[in-house]
Amino acid sequence: MFQYGKYVVGAWTVAFLTANVDKIVIGRWLGAGQLGYYTLCYGLAMFATYQISTRIFHVAFPAFTAAQARPELLRQGFIKLTKYLLFISLPVALILWLVPQELLYACYGKRWMKAAPILQVLAAAGALEALRVGVEPVLLGCGRSRAIFLLNLLQLALLATGAAVAALVLKSTVGVAWALVASIGALAG
């Protein structure tokens, strides 16, 4: 139990750091205003995927655990889970990408329209996250907690490096958003 559990705790600790490293970088080097724009856009872009995935995980994990000896059933379950996540998150991502200024103006007012380029990039992150998020219950259900830990560690390293370069060299919040897209895409692919 300890062998499995230590990687689960490690994976979730690294996931917490990953969920915040981009915001820490922006707040530290690009300022509170840019952090506000980014945080709002991040919440909008990830809303659909996170709302669905947190609820699905409670069902998917035990289902994949029960099916771990049947690879074909695991594959079918993973594909079905990914389809459901994409069915919800892709339309949301498409709307955020197509009409970010109109959406921000209607919901938050004129001063938030500057965040539209950030929202467009983070819409891609939200769609990619739907591809990545189904991997965790499959691997955990199969007893592969170390793999989740290593994948989360890889994403943290990619995001921290990309965000630091975007903030320090490019001085760009949109660049930090692209670093997030790249870090999710590297694992979703």
Side-chain angles (χ1 to χ4, degrees), residues 95-161:
I95 290 167
L96 296 176
W97 183 71
L98 289 173
V99 291
Q101 285 187 326
E102 295 81 358
L103 181 71
L104 290 168
Y105 180 76
C107 295
Y108 300 102
K110 186 177 179 179
R111 66 182 177 163
W112 288 92
M113 289 174 55
K114 294 177 188 174
I118 300 167
L119 185 55
Q120 281 185 304
V121 174
L122 290 177
L128 285 171
E129 184 68 7
L131 292 172
R132 190 197 67 78
V133 77
V135 172
E136 188 170 321
V138 172
L139 289 175
L140 288 177
C142 293
R144 309 260 331 260
S145 60
R146 184 173 187 265
I148 290 295
F149 171 72
L150 293 173
L151 286 172
N152 286 356
L153 202 57
L154 175 62
Q155 184 181 9
L156 176 60
L158 292 172
L159 180 55
T161 303

Side-chain angles (χ1 to χ4, degrees), residues 30-84:
L30 299 176
Q34 290 301 307
L35 178 59
Y37 290 140
Y38 185 88
T39 302
L40 174 76
C41 294
Y42 182 90
L44 291 170
M46 297 296 179
F47 180 77
T49 300
Y50 285 163
Q51 288 300 312
I52 300 299
S53 68
T54 55
R55 282 145 182 84
I56 287 177
F57 183 84
H58 296 295
V59 175
F61 174 63
F64 289 129
T65 301
Q68 67 180 306
R70 299 173 56 196
E72 183 57 29
L73 191 57
L74 279 172
R75 188 183 71 74
Q76 290 173 354
F78 175 71
I79 290 170
K80 187 179 263 189
L81 173 62
T82 302
K83 283 181 183 178
Y84 287 137

